[in-house]
Amino acid sequence: MEDQKQKEEFFPKIVGYLCNWCTYAAADLAGSSKMELSPSLNVIRVMCSSRVDYNLVLTTFFGGADGILIAGCHPGDCHYDKGNYYARRRYALLKSILETLKLDPERLQLSWISASEGKRYVDVVNEFTERIKKLGPNPINRNAYY
Amino acid sequence: MDYLLRVEKSAEHGLIDFLKFLLENDRIGGVFTLRKTGADGAFDYGLIHDTALLEDAIPLHPFMPVNAAQDLSHFASMKKPIAVVIRPCELRAFIELVKRSQGSMDHFLMISYTCGGVFPFDVAVSGEPEKELPDYWESVARGQIFPKTRETCRACEHFVPMNADVTVSLIGETVNEVCIFCIHTEKAMHLAEGFESKRIEAELESPAIETLRRERQEEKKKLFENTVIRVNGLDGMIDMFGKCIGCHGCSRVCPICHCILCDFESHLFDYEPSMIEDELYRKGGVRLPTDTVLYHIGRLNHMSFSCVGCGMCTEVCPAGIPVAAIFMRTGEETAQLFDYLPGRDVEEEVPVTVYKEEELSTIGED
């Protein structure tokens, strides 16, 4: 009973690394269009999705974030021509390692959201929040041995 | 291009004669090989110019004091070419370093051999490793796994050198009687010109190699299954790396980890007391030294796809963590992702430094 109550009250803390040139603008657009958005996302602006290296993601994850969202321009639309292609490879690599080690790979997501896709931004954040809610809190937060 | 040369001498003497021939005819400036250093069984890698010093050379002995790839990058360009005698995994590791601009293949004559594996340190430094040698060479001749070699060696299927100029055939050969060289490149052909030997019609690949490869693949499957069971989720990682004392010895000896300042040794991971205090209240307790699990996962991200499975990290781990098995296992997955094999081709680029427009197309759509 107690557990269930705790789970109901759980509100995830998600860290979002948003590309300055597209997703960050999409977030702005969502705001100025007064769309409703789950307040779970803590936004960190980066200059490109390829700025997000594995250390950033891992320190965020081991620092206790319940979910991590990386968002950047659609392939082919990178402000720096090819940054998001590198980001995509790095993401695939990181995800594969988390899968091999069975370290909750579902808590990590990469999404392409362009500057005009305010609606998509809202959908992605809300859906991701729902998914993390189902997964429950990051186990690292309760682990005194890490 | 490949052709075989036969010399009626033991493999080690045949090889030393070849090196002596190269030095005496001034075709190379020096030899990089394993050698005896002291009376009580000590050994190291060394550069040799004076042919008299070749007396102490033990180029084929199953020891690996360091992964030689690290050493090679220190003298990557000298006036004259250097002949190096190294294991297939060391050669593959060096190729990975060349891709990262830490060396060049041009100044070396790469001599490698079909490898039966190396002894762990405890056997190698026991003072009497010679005792194991007859059994070792016998199992090599029969194309069998020698049980006293390193865990990673027993599970290594890439024991036939890739990209060597010369390969000495050991697996399946009576190494006490005969020395067989396989000449792969033109560079090697020119250097070996005039060397007293008999050219024979045969292939390097043999049934013994085939059998050993199959055996090793079986062994690898077992090793991987074992590590998967032990590395399972956060709790599994803590069980496995909970013993880690944070010495970073595994990255010191890793031939791929060449960064002068590793992220994990930088100020990025020097936490303020207040940060540790925050963790303390949030989680009820904190492990110290911090970030031992993070360090290993970070390193997996940085270099696992280039892991050649030499096993040095497991060897030096004071806490007995099977680091190499975890890296080999994860590395195989990550390398497969990009259809990559470390050390296969020097022209192949490190996976995270390149991209293809048409790949991984499902990523980012959700």
Side-chain angles (χ1 to χ4, degrees):
Chain A
M1 198 60 197
E2 189 91 313
D3 273 0
Q4 208 181 352
K5 206 180 159 196
Q6 258 185 359
K7 212 167 197 179
E8 273 166 18
E9 282 169 6
F10 166 63
F11 191 73
K13 212 178 237 181
I14 299 173
V15 175
Y17 291 103
L18 310 187
C19 160
N20 173 60
W21 302 102
C22 51
T23 316
Y24 197 76
D28 252 358
L29 179 63
S32 56
S33 322
K34 305 222 173 349
M35 292 182 196
E36 207 170 309
L37 176 73
S38 165
S40 56
L41 194 76
N42 298 266
V43 174
I44 297 174
R45 179 169 65 149
V46 289
M47 289 312 278
C48 180
S49 50
S50 63
R51 165 64 184 86
V52 185
D53 65 19
Y54 61 91
N55 267 352
L56 270 183
V57 176
L58 289 174
T59 41
T60 314
F61 183 63
F62 281 92
D66 299 307
I68 300 160
L69 176 72
I70 307 166
C73 313
H74 286 273
D77 294 345
C78 179
H79 184 79
Y80 305 102
D81 205 23
K82 53 196 177 181
N84 50 4
Y85 290 121
Y86 291 119
R88 186 167 66 180
R89 277 213 161 192
R90 257 176 242 164
Y91 170 81
L93 176 73
L94 183 54
K95 194 104 174 167
S96 147
I97 287 171
L98 295 181
E99 266 160 29
T100 313
L101 305 176
K102 301 202 174 64
L103 278 173
D104 287 357
E106 316 85 57
R107 292 185 189 275
L108 176 63
Q109 182 173 321
L110 171 73
S111 293
W112 307 132
I113 304 167
S114 77
S116 59
E117 292 178 318
K119 175 80 176 63
R120 177 167 153 74
Y121 172 75
V122 171
D123 291 346
V124 165
V125 173
N126 286 343
E127 274 166 33
F128 190 48
T129 307
E130 278 313 306
R131 210 168 81 209
I132 299 297
K133 266 187 188 164
K134 272 190 206 122
L135 277 173
N138 186 346
I140 281 168
N141 283 324
R142 285 167 305 171
N143 201 315
Y145 297 96
Y146 168 70
Chain B
M1 170 76 226
D2 289 16
Y3 63 89
L4 270 63
L5 298 176
R6 186 185 166 101
V7 180
E8 301 298 332
K9 269 181 186 167
S10 79
E12 188 153 284
H13 283 120
L15 179 54
I16 290 175
D17 277 1
F18 180 57
L19 297 170
K20 204 178 263 174
F21 166 83
L22 293 174
L23 275 176
E24 278 168 355
N25 289 283
D26 211 18
R27 292 189 186 176
I28 53 170
V31 172
F32 175 84
T33 178
L34 209 58
R35 60 178 188 181
K36 281 184 230 164
T37 351
D40 58 345
F43 53 88
D44 63 4
Y45 272 118
L47 270 169
I48 294 173
H49 174 70
D50 185 350
T51 48
L53 291 174
L54 277 175
E55 293 281 303
D56 289 329
I58 42 170
L60 301 176
H61 275 218
F63 312 134
M64 190 196 283
V66 292
N67 189 306
Q70 270 185 340
D71 289 347
L72 294 191
S73 65
H74 290 300
F75 54 93
S77 91
M78 285 185 157
K79 282 180 199 132
K80 277 188 183 175
I82 304 286
V84 300
V85 189
I86 52 177
R87 292 179 183 275
C89 58
E90 294 174 310
L91 180 50
R92 288 172 66 211
F94 184 62
I95 285 177
E96 288 303 300
L97 284 178
V98 172
K99 288 177 192 170
R100 290 164 169 80
S101 311
Q102 301 300 308
S104 130
M105 299 288 280
D106 303 343
H107 297 84
F108 294 119
L109 174 72
M110 292 292 182
I111 303 175
S112 193
Y113 39 90
T114 48
C115 174
V118 297
F119 293 144
F121 278 175
D122 53 358
V123 177
V125 300
S126 64
E128 41 186 28
E130 316 279 314
K131 220 169 53 183
E132 305 287 349
L133 286 176
D135 289 346
Y136 174 84
W137 289 117
E138 203 180 305
S139 82
V140 166
R142 276 195 257 117
Q144 285 171 342
I145 296 174
F146 189 63
K148 279 186 189 160
T149 48
R150 285 181 188 173
E151 183 178 61
T152 44
C153 292
R154 298 199 298 269
C156 167
E157 56 174 320
H158 301 296
F159 57 90
V160 178
M162 305 171 190
N163 302 298
D165 294 306
V166 180
T167 300
V168 183
S169 174
L170 299 179
I171 306 288
E173 311 284 355
T174 42
V175 288
N176 290 333
E177 291 158 24
V178 66
C179 179
I180 292 173
F181 295 99
C182 183
I183 309 287
H184 299 289
T185 59
E186 249 170 67
K187 177 159 76 180
M189 190 181 77
H190 291 309
L191 290 173
E193 221 167 275
F195 177 59
E196 202 176 304
S197 58
K198 204 172 77 189
R199 189 162 166 164
I200 51 169
E201 292 304 318
E203 296 261 322
L204 181 66
E205 247 343 272
S206 69
I209 288 180
E210 218 19 72
T211 337
L212 185 61
R213 192 174 286 135
R214 263 200 309 276
E215 261 187 61
R216 296 259 183 106
Q217 278 162 348
E218 277 303 305
E219 192 73 26
K220 185 166 85 174
K221 223 189 271 171
K222 269 188 251 164
L223 178 69
F224 282 4
E225 271 163 20
N226 193 16
T227 46
V228 172
I229 293 164
R230 291 168 69 185
V231 182
N232 196 348
L234 183 63
D235 290 339
M237 291 299 282
I238 289 170
D239 279 348
M240 179 72 94
F241 293 116
K243 290 184 280 179
C244 176
I245 61 165
C247 69
H248 296 190
C250 43
S251 75
R252 285 293 150 70
V253 297
C254 179
I256 313 294
C257 272
H258 68 273
C259 298
I260 291 169
L261 182 58
C262 176
D263 268 359
F264 294 99
E265 281 162 25
S266 69
H267 67 282
L268 276 175
F269 291 91
D270 285 342
Y271 297 119
E272 294 285 324
S274 62
M275 290 168 87
I276 297 180
E277 203 176 15
D278 283 349
E279 294 263 297
L280 175 66
Y281 297 140
R282 189 163 56 85
K283 304 199 294 194
V286 181
R287 184 196 196 272
L288 291 163
T290 56
D291 292 333
T292 45
V293 175
L294 180 70
Y295 160 73
H296 290 283
I297 303 176
R299 220 162 77 77
L300 277 171
N301 269 282
H302 211 166
M303 52 62 65
S304 66
F305 42 80
S306 285
C307 174
V308 296
C310 65
M312 286 303 295
C313 43
T314 302
E315 281 299 311
V316 299
C317 182
I321 302 168
V323 191
I326 301 164
F327 274 67
M328 269 171 90
R329 156 98 175 94
T330 318
E332 202 168 81
E333 302 268 328
T334 50
Q336 255 167 25
L337 200 62
F338 306 114
D339 193 19
Y340 186 74
L341 182 65
R344 176 169 54 192
D345 184 355
V346 77
E347 299 298 325
E348 222 173 353
E349 309 251 20
V350 179
V352 287
T353 62
V354 285
Y355 66 89
K356 286 187 199 127
E357 284 181 21
E358 305 302 323
E359 64 173 2
L360 308 167
S361 58
T362 54
I363 287 178
E365 298 306 326
D366 39 71

